[in-house]
Amino acid sequence: MRTPAGPEAVPSLPGQRASSARPPAAVERLRPVHWWHAALVVVPTAALFVLGYRRRWICDDGLIYLRPVRQILAGNGPVFNVGERAESSTGTLWQWLLALGTWVTGEDPAFLAVGLGLLLSTAGFGLALYATCRLHRGAGPLLPAGVFVLLAVPPFWSYMTSGLESGLGAFWTGLSWWLLTGTRRGQEARLTYAAAFVFGLGPLVRPDLAVVTVCFLAAQWWVLRPARRGTAAMLASAVALPLAYEVFRAGYYGILVPLPAIAKEASASDWGRGAGYVQETLGPYWLWPVVPVLAAPAVLLVRRTRHQRRDRAPGRASLAVLLAPLVAGALLAGYVVRVGGDYMHARMILPALLLLLLPVLVVPARFTGVVSALLVVWLCAAVSPLRAPFDVRSTPGSFNVRSSDVEGLGDHNPVRTATWVDNWPSLPEGRGMLARAARAPRPTLLYFDAGRRLHATPMREDAPYHVVIVGRHLGVTGAAAPLDAYVNDAWGLASPIGAHLALERWSWPGHEKFLRNYWVFAEWAVEHPPQRDLLRAGASREAVEAARAALACGELAELKESVRAPLTAERFWRNLTGAFERTQFRFARWPVAAERALCD
C-alpha cells in the first residue's frame, strides 16, 4: 500500500502548521527495535527490580500516608484525625492511589504501598531506558552509561519502596520522558493532550515536581509549535486536574499547599546546609568523578542535535526534548540545595539526579564509547569491597533512615503495619497506655517528658476526643492509635497548630518546629493540670495559660476554626478566599510572645 504524502496526510493540532518532514507518530512506533536495544532496557530494569526487592521496606514517614487512607475508607474524609481537616500527605496522588488499591484488594495498605512502589518504580526505570534508546535511534549502536549510576547507588534501590511517593515519582518521570521523546509534529491531537495531561500531574505527585511539569510542557510546545487554540488546549489538559484539586485543597483544608510544606518551610533558604546535603549524597558513593564523565556525552549530544537539520533527521528528537530533563533536573537540584536538603539521607536529591541522567542513560557508541568503559571501571570499584558500605546511622545533616529502622525493628524487610506496631522500641508501653486510656471513664491526654517517657494526665471534659496522644514518630503512632483518637503531631506534619509555628533552625531539616508540651496542655489538658504533670512536661503554669490565651486570639483562633468548624458552603468559601493569608501565617513558638502578638 502506498503511504500518502504531503501536508494534508498528517493530522495536526488545531491551528498547527502541518509538516511533511516527519512520518506520523504511529509509523514511528511500528519501527522494529534492535535486539541489543531491547537488552539495554530489559537487563538493567530486571536488575533494578531485584535490587529494590532485596531492600523492600516501609519507613515511619511512609506510614504517615496510611492513616489518611484508613480514614478515607472509614468515611471520615482525607484527614489524619477525625474532625480536623489537615492534609498530612505530601503526595496527593499517592494517597488516593493507596486508598483505591486498599479498597479494591482489602490488603494491608503498608504491604500494598511497598508492592506498588516497587512495581511503579521498576516500570518507570524501564520506560525511561526505552525512551532514551528511542531518543538516540538512528545514531548507531548504543551502550549503557547513566544507568550504571542507578545500579551502583543504594538509595535508588531503597526508595523504590519505602512506602513514600518516590516509586510513583519515578514512574511519572519515566512515563513523562517516554511521552516527550515520542512527541512529533503532526501527531494526533488526542495523543498530545494525553501527554500534556500526564505532564500536568507533577504537582500532584509531589509539589516540587511542578518545575518538571513546566519544563516538559515547554519542550512539548516547542516541538509541536501549535497555534493559539492548540496551545490553549494543551494547557487546559495539563492544568485541569491540578487546578481543580487546588480549589478543593484551599476550600477544604484552608491552605494552598500540603501541611508538611508549611511544617518544613519549603520556601525557606539554607544554601550551606543544602550544599552539605548534596555532598553527603554524592561523596559516599564516589559520584563526583561520574559528573564530568557523563557531562561530556551530554554536551556532545546537545551539540550534535543542535547542528542537525531537522528535515534530514526525521527520527531525531529536537534540542528542546534533550534539554528538558537537564534543565528540570538542574532547577530541582537547585531547589533542594536552596531549601537545605532533607533529614532523610539522599531522598530529596534522587529525583533531580534521575532527571539529569535521563538523556545519557544509554549513549551512542560511535563517539562516546569511552564513557561506558570508564563507567564500567567505576561501577566495579563502587560495588567492590574497596568502597566501605555507607550504612552509618547519621551524617552531619541527614539521617540514614533505612539503617535505623531495620536495626530498631530487628527486621531487614519491614513491610507490614503490624511489624512496626509490634516491634518499634518506644511503642509497647504506648500501646498499653492507649488501651488503658480508651477504657478510662474520663478523657485522657498522653504526653512525653524530656526523657521521651509517656505519661497520662486528665483532659478537659468538653474535648471532642476521648484520647489524645502526642506523636513523636507520627507514622507508627498513627498506625497504633484508633481512628477516633487524636494524634497530636509534635513536628507539625499533621498538626495545623504546630505547622504554623515560626521556624527556628536547630535540628534536622524538616524537623525544626517542635510543638512543646505547654501548647499541648493549653489545648487539651484540664484548666488546672496537676503540678506533677506540669513538671514532667516541662511546662510552667504561666506558659500554659499564655498559650491557652493565644490559641483563642486573632489569626490563630481563625486557623483552628478553618480546620475544625463544620464544612458548610460558607466555611468552604471563607477557607478558599483566605487560603493565601492562612498559608503565610506564622506565630511565635514561645507562648508569652505569641499571646502578646495575637491578643494585643
Side-chain angles (χ1 to χ4, degrees):
M1 180 182 292
R2 218 168 157 188
T3 303
E8 68 281 1
V10 182
S12 58
L13 291 178
Q16 180 180 313
R17 294 181 293 273
S19 171
S20 59
R22 296 180 185 274
V27 176
E28 289 280 336
R29 291 195 300 270
L30 291 175
R31 291 179 178 174
V33 178
H34 194 276
W35 69 267
W36 172 243
H37 293 177
L40 284 178
V41 174
V42 173
V43 174
T45 301
L48 285 166
F49 175 83
V50 172
L51 292 169
Y53 179 79
R54 287 171 60 87
R55 293 176 74 92
R56 64 196 183 279
W57 67 306
I58 187 168
C59 62
D60 183 75
D61 280 27
L63 291 173
I64 293 175
Y65 279 98
L66 306 189
R67 187 172 173 91
V69 166
R70 292 160 58 208
Q71 297 283 22
I72 290 170
L73 297 179
N76 299 323
V79 299
F80 198 83
N81 292 305
V82 177
E84 183 177 77
R85 296 180 295 275
E87 186 181 16
S88 60
S89 300
T90 304
T92 302
L93 278 182
W94 184 234
Q95 170 188 278
W96 289 101
L97 182 61
L98 289 178
L100 176 62
T102 305
W103 178 70
V104 171
T105 64
E107 182 56 80
D108 174 12
F111 186 75
L112 187 67
V114 172
L116 275 178
L118 181 60
L119 293 176
L120 287 171
S121 55
T122 303
F125 291 144
L127 284 169
L129 279 162
Y130 178 81
T132 305
C133 289
R134 178 165 62 183
L135 179 76
H136 302 315
R137 182 179 294 167
L142 302 177
L143 292 175
V147 68
F148 286 137
V149 176
L150 305 182
L151 294 169
V153 178
F156 273 113
W157 321 335
S158 296
Y159 289 104
M160 290 177 72
T161 54
S162 81
L164 294 165
E165 73 287 338
S166 304
L168 179 61
F171 175 75
W172 176 79
T173 301
L175 177 61
S176 298
W177 179 232
W178 177 75
L179 290 169
L180 185 61
T181 57
T183 300
R184 296 288 185 269
R185 284 195 182 187
Q187 72 180 14
E188 296 178 32
R190 60 184 179 86
L191 297 178
T192 297
Y193 301 148
F197 175 81
V198 172
F199 298 157
L201 295 178
L204 296 179
V205 175
R206 187 175 172 86
D208 48 354
L209 293 180
V211 66
V212 186
T213 290
V214 172
C215 291
F216 277 37
L217 282 173
Q220 184 191 37
W221 180 88
W222 187 260
V223 171
L224 298 175
R225 305 289 184 89
R228 291 181 180 177
R229 189 171 59 168
T231 300
M234 282 174 50
L235 288 176
S237 300
V239 306
L241 185 58
L243 182 60
Y245 197 86
E246 188 61 30
V247 171
F248 165 78
R249 171 182 286 144
Y252 188 80
Y253 299 110
I255 52 179
L256 297 176
V257 293
L259 201 58
I262 297 177
K264 298 186 177 187
E265 291 293 358
S267 60
S269 298
D270 194 337
W271 293 93
R273 185 160 64 176
Y277 181 73
V278 174
Q279 166 57 26
E280 291 166 12
T281 300
L282 301 184
Y285 308 109
W286 296 355
L287 281 173
W288 285 116
V290 176
V291 173
V293 173
L294 287 176
V299 171
L300 289 173
L301 289 169
V302 169
R303 290 183 60 186
R304 187 195 70 172
T305 306
R306 186 179 177 186
H307 288 93
Q308 283 175 338
R309 291 180 61 183
R310 196 172 296 156
D311 59 347
R312 291 186 180 177
R316 304 274 171 78
S318 74
L319 182 61
V321 173
L322 186 61
L323 289 177
L326 298 177
V327 173
L331 291 174
L332 190 58
Y335 168 76
V336 173
V337 173
R338 177 184 179 274
V339 81
D342 185 56
Y343 88 101
M344 299 180 78
H345 169 69
R347 175 199 171 195
M348 287 294 291
I349 203 67
L350 294 181
L353 189 55
L354 176 60
L355 286 162
L356 292 170
L357 290 173
L358 287 179
V360 291
L361 287 173
V362 297
V363 293
R366 61 191 175 110
F367 65 96
T368 53
V370 66
V371 168
S372 292
L374 290 172
L375 288 171
V376 167
V377 174
W378 168 80
L379 176 65
C380 293
V383 300
S384 74
L386 294 175
R387 186 186 70 80
F390 183 72
D391 236 9
V392 298
R393 273 297 195 94
S394 64
T395 57
S398 60
F399 194 75
N400 196 326
V401 177
R402 189 181 188 281
S403 296
S404 173
D405 289 351
V406 166
E407 181 179 334
L409 295 169
D411 188 338
H412 188 265
N413 298 115
V415 297
R416 296 278 185 179
T417 303
T419 304
W420 274 87
V421 173
D422 294 342
N423 299 295
W424 188 243
S426 64
L427 206 56
E429 178 188 6
R431 289 169 59 200
M433 294 188 71
L434 270 171
R436 289 192 293 273
R439 296 192 300 267
R442 65 173 300 165
T444 303
L445 167 64
L446 303 177
Y447 67 94
F448 286 93
D449 63 15
R452 299 190 179 186
R453 292 181 296 272
L454 201 61
H455 300 278
T457 191
M459 197 159 61
R460 57 188 178 88
E461 292 288 351
D462 63 338
Y465 307 96
H466 191 75
V467 178
V468 171
I469 180 171
V470 174
R472 296 180 67 101
H473 291 88
L474 181 60
V476 67
T477 306
L483 292 182
D484 58 355
Y486 185 91
V487 180
N488 204 131
D489 178 26
W491 300 108
L493 302 179
S495 168
I497 306 300
H500 288 268
L501 286 168
L503 177 66
E504 181 180 332
R505 298 290 189 190
W506 67 281
S507 183
W508 287 315
H511 286 68
E512 296 167 299
K513 294 185 178 184
F514 189 73
L515 192 68
R516 288 172 170 82
N517 281 329
Y518 36 72
W519 290 105
V520 178
F521 271 54
E523 188 166 19
W524 302 114
V526 293
E527 185 175 357
H528 301 291
Q531 186 64 30
R532 177 189 69 251
D533 289 330
L534 289 173
L535 291 173
R536 286 173 176 169
S540 68
R541 196 172 300 277
E542 292 75 14
V544 172
E545 291 175 355
R548 186 177 290 123
L551 287 167
C553 286
E555 293 167 285
L556 189 51
E558 197 281 330
L559 173 68
K560 290 174 56 182
E561 186 76 6
S562 72
V563 298
R564 292 180 183 171
L567 190 65
T568 61
E570 180 186 1
R571 182 71 256 175
F572 187 93
W573 177 251
R574 291 175 62 185
N575 279 2
L576 180 65
T577 54
F580 178 79
E581 291 79 9
R582 213 173 285 113
T583 302
Q584 300 298 315
F585 168 64
R586 302 292 185 273
F587 66 97
R589 64 173 58 227
W590 305 113
V592 174
E595 181 189 16
R596 187 181 302 118
L598 293 166
C599 300
D600 188 6

